[in-house]
């Protein structure tokens, strides 16, 4: 019996590791393509409005990167849906009457919308008129946001389940679809995820543009894209901090155990300190060491220093999430968020007081260094959300240990090893190719030579031969 329990625990751990690995890989691509699709719509709209060829060049450059990232996101997302049946069949059977339709709605709305207009967006330059092509780009951008809507809706319900009833056989049934779709944590979490996607895209664009400016200081297109990214950072990064604060205060009511793990609160008390850094120890139910500011913890999470905030000791040991993982993942996310705010404000200051950030080499190097940090922050935030929910897969309703499929550790370890090898090869090649495209820059990466005249092109001027021709008169 002891050996059977150990095997079950090992299978559970391996199943969790496998899903964590695949979802961490997958979330990289949607967090980039959601923002990049909107960026492409803005670029095409600016090109149609101003007739500035630099915007067209940037569009043709970034649309290639979008296509590659979108394809890898679809492939990595399909794998996770299979895991719900192979590794988490009990969970699927238990909650499918509630969140199964949400995934179906995502396919029927977002996926069909994206699939229908993605082909026009990528291959329709010579087939349709400029307005229809711009509409296709816009609808693809809307499709990515709709997809995020349904996925975050399903996950938010798992974080705070509402609008359901339990049937005699133990399964769940939705009683109010409005409460299921718009669970109490959904508005803040959806806004937080979309803003994170926009920040991720802005950082990648800023990093790639800064890299090109360091190598080719006279490249006008990279200067334009860098200024656009700086504007996004300066606006969205502070807004993201505000939305995150709202989400944290809401967590005090919806998931107090996650909040206690985030802040490493062990005792239930008023005037909780804010732990800048600490080393939580579950064995001793305390922090081995900590660097703290007195009373600020209660003010941050509850709005006043005298507020009583529950600690982890108010929960049974088996109901507590892994504290150290959640605590440090949250600080990585917040620390990078503060760095993003600093980068955006620095760039805005350079736009205001100097010739611009594209001429400041220290700032360009900082943008290159910060380029991948959006992905790190997104993954850290996802760790906070998912590990902080433990030991539940549906908070307060279904424990993770009860949701796993009856499979052995050997089968799970074999599939995990296969995923590690295949992902390591396929996605590494894809990522390296994307980085190579970014390194070539917008002029070379757009597939056409730079225009002779940066201003509006007259109808009598012939375009250079190019594989994609978004001429306003084409297709009419």
């Amino acid at each position: 019996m002891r050996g059977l329990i150990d095997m079950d625990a090992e299978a559970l751990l391996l199943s969790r590791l496998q899903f964590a690995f695949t979802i961490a890989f997958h979330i990289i691509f949607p967090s980039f393509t959601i923002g990049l699709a909107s960026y492409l719509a803005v670029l095409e709209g600016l090109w149609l409005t101003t007739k500035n060829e630099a915007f067209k060049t940037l569009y043709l450059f970034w649309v290639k990167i979008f296509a590659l990232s979108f394809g890898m996101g679809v492939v990595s997302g399909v794998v996770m849906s299979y895991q719900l049946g192979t590794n988490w069949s009990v969970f699927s059977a238990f909650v499918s009457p509630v969140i199964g339709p949400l995934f179906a709605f995502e396919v029927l709305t977002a996926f069909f919308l994206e699939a229908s207009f993605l082909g026009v967006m990528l291959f329709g330059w010579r087939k349709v008129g400029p307005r229809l092509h711009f509409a296709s780009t816009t609808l693809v951008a809307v499709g990515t946001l709709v997809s995020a809507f349904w996925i975050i809706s399903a996950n938010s319900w798992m974080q705070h389940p509402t609008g359901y009833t339990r049937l005699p056989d133990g399964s769940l049934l939705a009683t109010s679809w409005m409460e299921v779709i718009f669970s109490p944590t959904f508005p803040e979490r959806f806004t937080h995820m979309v803003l994170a996607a926009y920040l991720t895209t802005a950082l990648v664009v800023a990093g790639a543009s800064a890299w090109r400016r360091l190598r080719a200081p006279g490249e006008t297109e990279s200067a334009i894209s860098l200024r656009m990214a700086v504007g996004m950072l300066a606006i969205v990064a502070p807004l993201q901090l505000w939305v995150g604060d709202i989400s944290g205060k809401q967590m005090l009511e919806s998931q107090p155990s996650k909040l206690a793990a985030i802040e490493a609160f062990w005792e239930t008390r008023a005037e909780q300190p804010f732990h800048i850094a600490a080393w939580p120890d579950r064995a001793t139910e305390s922090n081995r060491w900590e660097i703290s500011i007195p009373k600020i913890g209660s003010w941050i999470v509850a709005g006043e220093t005298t507020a009583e905030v529950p600690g982890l000791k108010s929960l049974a040991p088996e109901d507590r999430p892994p504290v150290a993982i959640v605590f440090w993942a949250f600080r990585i996310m917040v620390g990078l968020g503060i760095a993003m705010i600093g980068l955006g404000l620095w760039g805005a200051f350079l736009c205001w007081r100097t010739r611009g950030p594209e001429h400041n080499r220290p700032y360009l190097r900082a943008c290159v260094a910060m380029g991948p940090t959006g992905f790190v922050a997104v993954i850290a935030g996802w760790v906070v959300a998912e590990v902080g929910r433990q030991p539940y897969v549906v908070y307060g309703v279904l424990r993770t240990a009860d949701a796993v499929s009856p499979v052995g550790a050997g089968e799970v370890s074999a599939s995990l090893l296969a995923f590690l090898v295949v992902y390591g090869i396929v996605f590494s090649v894809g990522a390296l190719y994307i980085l190579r495209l970014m390194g070539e820059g917008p002029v070379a990466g757009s597939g056409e030579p730079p225009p002779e005249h940066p201003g509006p092109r007259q109808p009598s001027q012939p375009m250079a031969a190019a594989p994609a021709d978004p001429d306003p008169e084409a297709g009419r």
Side-chain angles (χ1 to χ4, degrees):
M1 178 64 69
R2 176 74 177 180
L4 181 60
I5 294 175
D6 291 341
M7 289 179 62
D8 291 342
E10 186 177 353
L12 172 62
L13 176 61
L14 289 171
S15 295
R16 293 178 64 184
L17 288 174
Q18 180 173 303
F19 198 82
F21 170 76
T22 53
I23 199 171
F25 238 107
H26 170 69
I27 199 173
I28 289 174
F29 301 107
S31 63
F32 181 43
T33 55
I34 289 172
L36 189 55
S38 297
Y39 180 56
L40 288 170
V42 171
L43 286 174
E44 188 169 8
L46 289 173
W47 177 73
L48 290 174
T49 302
T50 66
K51 300 300 186 294
N52 187 339
E53 295 293 331
F55 292 119
K56 184 196 74 173
T57 302
L58 286 168
Y59 181 96
L60 294 174
F61 170 64
W62 285 106
V63 76
K64 292 182 178 181
I65 296 172
F66 173 81
L68 290 168
S69 303
F70 187 87
M72 289 191 288
V74 170
V75 172
S76 58
V78 170
V79 172
M80 292 193 304
S81 63
Y82 283 115
Q83 284 185 77
L84 293 178
T86 57
N87 292 29
W88 303 98
S89 59
V90 177
F91 163 79
S92 300
F94 190 78
V95 303
S96 58
V98 179
I99 65 173
L102 303 187
F103 291 127
F105 294 153
E106 193 259 343
V107 174
L108 292 173
T109 56
F111 189 76
F112 281 179
L113 187 65
E114 294 166 346
S116 299
F117 291 97
L118 183 63
V120 178
M121 174 183 172
L122 297 179
F123 309 110
W125 286 114
R126 297 182 181 275
K127 307 295 182 182
V128 301
R131 294 179 182 176
L132 178 56
H133 191 275
F134 173 63
S136 299
T137 303
T138 303
L139 288 172
V140 169
V142 171
T144 61
L145 293 173
V146 173
S147 179
F149 174 92
W150 291 114
I151 297 301
I152 298 300
S153 175
N155 188 266
S156 297
W157 181 86
M158 293 165 61
Q159 300 282 347
H160 190 164
T162 54
Y164 73 95
T165 187
R166 191 185 295 270
L167 299 178
D169 63 356
S171 61
L172 305 181
L173 181 67
T175 57
S176 172
W177 285 111
M178 290 299 292
E179 292 183 19
V180 171
I181 295 172
F182 298 99
S183 62
T185 64
F186 170 75
E188 295 88 352
R189 298 184 77 247
F190 176 66
T191 304
H192 198 60
M193 185 64 217
V194 172
L195 293 179
Y198 286 160
L199 283 173
T200 300
T201 301
L203 287 165
V204 172
V205 172
S209 303
W211 175 261
R212 288 299 306 168
R213 288 292 299 185
L214 288 169
R215 295 172 64 89
E219 195 168 75
T220 304
E221 291 81 2
S222 294
I224 293 174
S225 58
L226 178 62
R227 283 176 171 259
M228 295 177 71
V230 166
M232 179 64 71
L233 287 171
I235 296 172
V236 175
L239 182 61
Q240 179 74 308
L241 182 65
W242 177 65
V243 173
D245 179 68
I246 295 175
S247 181
K249 287 180 169 58
Q250 197 270 347
M251 197 184 302
L252 180 61
E253 299 180 2
S254 61
Q255 290 181 309
S257 61
K258 179 189 291 186
L259 180 64
I262 286 174
E263 302 297 344
F265 293 155
W266 293 96
E267 303 290 343
T268 299
R269 49 173 287 193
E271 301 182 347
Q272 289 276 18
F274 171 65
H275 302 309
I276 301 173
W279 191 255
D281 188 346
R282 297 182 71 179
T284 62
E285 298 183 326
S286 64
N287 299 326
R288 290 189 180 183
W289 57 266
E290 58 190 38
I291 302 173
S292 306
I293 303 176
K295 302 182 182 181
I296 299 300
S298 290
W299 177 75
I300 290 176
V301 302
E304 55 185 19
T305 58
T306 58
E308 182 177 273
V309 180
L312 290 164
K313 286 186 179 181
S314 62
L315 303 169
E318 62 272 15
D319 294 336
R320 301 170 188 168
V323 186
I325 297 175
V326 179
F327 178 85
W328 282 108
F330 180 78
R331 272 144 188 81
I332 291 172
M333 178 184 66
V334 173
L336 291 175
I338 293 173
M340 294 172 197
I341 294 175
L343 188 69
L345 295 180
W346 183 11
F349 175 80
L350 292 175
C351 290
W352 175 45
R353 300 293 293 180
T354 70
R355 291 188 299 163
E358 67 272 18
H359 299 290
N360 188 293
R361 295 184 69 85
Y363 186 79
L364 295 177
R365 295 190 184 98
C367 287
V368 173
M370 286 287 292
T373 55
F375 300 111
V376 179
V378 167
I379 293 175
W382 205 254
V383 169
V384 172
E386 301 309 300
V387 178
R389 184 179 57 195
Q390 300 304 315
Y392 294 99
V393 66
V394 179
Y395 190 75
V397 177
L398 178 64
R399 288 180 175 268
T400 307
D402 299 328
V404 69
S405 299
V407 295
E411 292 87 342
V412 182
S413 60
S415 60
L416 175 57
L417 180 61
F419 280 129
L420 290 172
V421 174
V422 174
Y423 274 49
I425 296 174
V426 175
F427 292 103
S428 295
V429 172
L432 289 174
Y433 183 62
I434 289 176
L435 290 175
R436 179 182 174 184
L437 287 177
M438 290 182 182
E440 292 177 353
V443 175
S446 65
E448 63 175 25
E452 295 181 3
H453 303 283
R457 181 172 51 85
Q458 301 301 321
S460 59
Q461 291 179 303
M463 284 289 293
D469 182 10
D471 189 281
E473 304 299 324
R476 291 187 178 178

